[in-house]
Amino acid sequence: PGAIICPNVQIGKNCSIGANVVISFSIIGDNVQISSGSVIGDSGFGFEKTKSGVVQIPHVGLVEVGNYVSIGSNCAIDRGSLGDTKIGANVMIDNLCHIAHNVSIGEGSVVAGQCGISGSVEVGKDVLMGGQVGIAPHLVIGDGAVLTAKSGVTKDVAPGIQVAGFPAVRAREFWRIKAKQRRQ
């Protein structure tokens, strides 16, 4: 009930669209679940400062969602500005996540609740993100990386590396610093 599927949206087979979902400018694969209240394909936050003020940049790309993706309640996945926003197959996105324009998330990645991924971030395959992770724009997160809960990622993360803290550093270093602080 209350879901809106805009013109020219493609939705594959065996999909489940929850109440009050809005989908525009999107290509949705097969066996996708989109939970209540999510907005897929709306314009992202793009602007340019000019002498006469701030001007919004139109977004003309799409959102491409692969097969067997699960998108939780009240998520926002923005359409691309010039290119597309891409969610790979078998990705799981928890509730209350924001995925900005031109982001790509590789197959098998998991994004826990309240994560925010800024524009043009490339997330590799099989990446695990804990709750409330924030990622700065234009970064690359390597395949198999682990971003622990509440990490503030401000630099690229190499494949297979686990990071923690703000600004995010290798998890082992983060926990060593925390242990030293507790002893003081």
Side-chain angles (χ1 to χ4, degrees), residues 1-181:
I4 299 172
I5 311 298
C6 295
N8 301 315
V9 167
Q10 297 175 25
I11 298 177
K13 299 175 186 173
N14 302 315
C15 292
S16 173
I17 309 297
N20 300 312
V21 167
V22 178
I23 304 174
S24 57
F25 303 104
S26 298
I27 300 169
I28 310 293
D30 296 335
N31 302 295
V32 171
Q33 178 182 355
I34 303 173
S35 296
S36 299
S38 288
V39 178
I40 314 297
D42 210 349
S43 287
F45 186 64
F47 64 90
E48 186 69 38
K49 281 187 92 169
T50 68
K51 290 180 182 179
S52 58
V54 178
V55 178
Q56 189 170 358
I57 297 172
H59 287 71
V60 297
L62 300 174
V63 174
E64 296 179 14
V65 177
N67 298 330
Y68 297 97
V69 169
S70 176
I71 299 169
S73 297
N74 297 308
C75 291
I77 302 177
D78 298 340
R79 70 190 287 202
S81 52
L82 294 174
D84 296 332
T85 300
K86 298 179 181 181
I87 311 298
N90 297 299
V91 167
M92 294 186 70
I93 301 169
D94 196 3
N95 301 333
L96 298 166
C97 292
H98 177 241
I99 298 168
H101 61 278
N102 297 90
V103 167
S104 67
I105 300 178
E107 295 178 10
S109 291
V110 176
V111 181
Q114 298 182 333
C115 285
I117 303 175
S118 298
S120 302
V121 169
E122 294 179 35
V123 176
K125 296 178 182 178
D126 301 313
V127 170
L128 300 177
M129 273 182 228
Q132 296 184 334
V133 165
I135 304 176
H138 304 281
L139 297 182
V140 176
I141 310 301
D143 293 348
V146 177
L147 314 180
T148 61
K150 294 191 176 193
S151 294
V153 182
T154 59
K155 296 181 180 177
D156 291 348
V157 177
I161 298 298
Q162 181 176 1
V163 298
F166 181 84
V169 295
R170 285 185 180 236
R172 189 172 196 161
E173 177 184 347
F174 174 80
W175 294 117
R176 189 170 35 248
I177 291 167
K178 286 295 183 189
K180 187 174 183 180
Q181 288 173 340

